[in-house]
Each structure stands twice: as structure tokens, then as C-alpha cells.
Amino acid sequence: KQEVTQIPAALSVPEGENLVLNCSFTDSAIYNLQWFRQDPGKGLTSLLLIQSSQREQTSGRLNASLDKSSGRSTLYIAASQPGDSATYLCAVAGGGADGLTFGKGTHLIIQP
Amino acid sequence: NAGVTQTPKFRVLKTGQSMTLLCAQDMNHEYMYWYRQDPGMGLRLIHYSVGEGTTAKGEVPDGYNVSRLKKQNFLLGLESAAPSQTSVYFCASRGLAGRNYFGAGTRLSVL
């Protein structure tokens, strides 16, 4: 059974810092990996999608990398802003139509 | 462009009552999913569908039923609600290249 772990569970940093969120998964046979953002009381917003054949994806200040063989992904946030405060979720998809397996998230607070 | 729409947004039930949660997507996606999100547990898959008229069990299907009579709609039913079903329920659809799109969620309390 696939298991996804996110470290750290919570992180509080001053505005302007670059930071890295970590995600690891136990079964390397994944179809893709997706990073989401969730604001309190809200739904999930897709940030980045990395296919199993890709090494990284970038969107603005966000960069996600994937090392499938070692079962790891990182989300890099450059020049953090208070508006980046949210919970960040990592999720992997296996083959076929199966749904996503989620980590429990990293709760991020950016201090002004 | 609505994407994935869930109704209702909030609901309070008494133990033993029944209800149906509706998910509608306007992206013509074949695959649709129902998840629940609980503190400390993360999101877990309840049921999913790979197309109109199909359904399949996920990780935590007990106490729930689903139907996909139309491609754009995926219904989640609770026949006899229990306090353990107090949760936030999310619907998702999956598009090209496997990207998943989520609704805003339904907050359900069972007293």
C-alpha cells in the first residue's frame, strides 16, 4: 500500500526566506505527483503536476522536483510572502483510475 | 468556468438520518472521486467512478453509496448517518495528463 509522508508537519518562517517542503512515498511505481495548496476552510488548489517521466516543474516562485527512484519530491518556494501561508499537500497517483494517495500536509506560516 | 461544484456546502444531520451529496463537473472528465478529510488522517478515498454508470470502492467505502447516472454528476449517499461520518467531503475529477480538480468541499456534522 502506498504511503506518503510530508516533512515538516509545520513550518513558520519570516517573509522573504526561500524554503523547501519535503514529500516521500514508499512505492516508486507512480503515474504522477501533484502538489496542492489548501487555505483554511477551503478546497484544494493544484499548484504543480509532475509526470513520472519528468524531473521538475516550475510555476512562478514555485519549483517542484521529483526523484522517483528514491521516492522523493520537494517543493521549493522562493522569496516567501505572507500570502503563501497555507497547508501544502503532496499526493501521488498510481497507474489506472485509482485516486490519489495524500500526505498529511505541511502547515506553513510566513511571518510579515 | 465552474469546474467542480459541490452541494450543499454545510449540513448538520442527526444520527440515523440520510442525505445525498452532489458533485457536478463541467470539464467532460471521465474519472470522478469522493474523498473525506479528517484531522490527523489526511484525505482518504471513499469511492470513485471511471465513467457514466460505473463505480468502485476506495480505501474507506463502508457506510457510503455512490451513483454516476450522468457523466457530469457523481452522487455520494449516506443511508444512515453516524457520528464517525462527521468530516469534510471533497469531490474531484481527473482530466488530461492526470491533473485532479477539486470542489470546495462539504462540511458535514452528524450529531
Side-chain angles (χ1 to χ4, degrees):
Chain A
K1 176 187 174 184
Q2 178 74 269
E3 293 182 1
V4 179
T5 303
Q6 291 188 244
I7 295 174
L11 183 62
S12 180
V13 299
E15 180 178 6
E17 285 200 4
N18 302 323
L19 50 98
V20 174
L21 308 183
N22 296 293
C23 172
S24 62
F25 46 95
T26 55
D27 186 349
S28 62
I30 64 169
Y31 178 63
N32 63 41
L33 183 145
Q34 201 164 353
W35 281 94
F36 295 90
R37 168 184 174 138
Q38 185 176 29
D39 293 288
K42 303 295 185 181
L44 280 68
T45 300
S46 179
L47 297 174
L48 290 164
L49 171 70
I50 310 177
Q51 302 298 339
S52 61
S53 59
Q54 297 176 321
R55 296 286 293 182
E56 65 177 347
Q57 284 287 330
T58 298
S59 176
R61 295 182 293 108
L62 304 180
N63 175 276
S65 67
L66 174 64
D67 184 342
K68 197 175 75 163
S69 61
S70 68
R72 294 179 182 177
S73 177
T74 60
L75 179 66
Y76 176 83
I77 303 177
S80 58
Q81 302 171 358
D84 295 330
S85 298
T87 295
Y88 290 79
L89 297 167
C90 170
V92 299
D98 293 355
L100 297 171
T101 300
F102 283 85
K104 294 181 180 179
T106 293
H107 181 55
L108 176 65
I109 296 175
I110 307 298
Q111 306 156 9
Chain B
N1 186 3
V4 179
T5 303
Q6 292 183 234
T7 53
K9 289 183 170 53
F10 304 94
R11 187 71 186 269
V12 177
L13 290 178
K14 294 181 179 179
T15 297
Q17 288 185 320
S18 63
M19 76 164 295
T20 300
L21 284 68
L22 172 64
C23 176
Q25 53 98 1
D26 61 2
M27 297 173 282
N28 202 35
H29 291 165
E30 292 290 342
Y31 298 169
M32 296 186 72
Y33 304 87
W34 277 107
Y35 296 87
R36 60 178 289 173
Q37 184 176 36
D38 302 291
M41 299 294 294
L43 281 97
R44 293 176 292 169
L45 182 66
I46 305 172
H47 284 282
Y48 64 99
S49 168
V50 299
E52 183 178 316
T54 74
T55 63
K57 295 180 180 179
E59 180 185 357
V60 288
D62 294 343
Y64 304 95
N65 56 76
V66 287
S67 63
R68 185 99 180 267
L69 299 179
K70 294 183 179 180
K71 185 178 183 178
Q72 65 268 33
N73 295 336
F74 194 27
L75 279 63
L76 178 70
L78 287 72
E79 291 186 346
S80 180
S84 61
Q85 294 178 305
T86 293
S87 188
V88 182
Y89 292 86
F90 287 102
C91 176
S93 69
R94 178 175 144 185
L96 294 176
R99 184 178 294 274
N100 284 261
Y101 300 84
F102 281 76
T106 295
R107 292 184 177 275
L108 175 65
S109 292
V110 182
L111 305 178

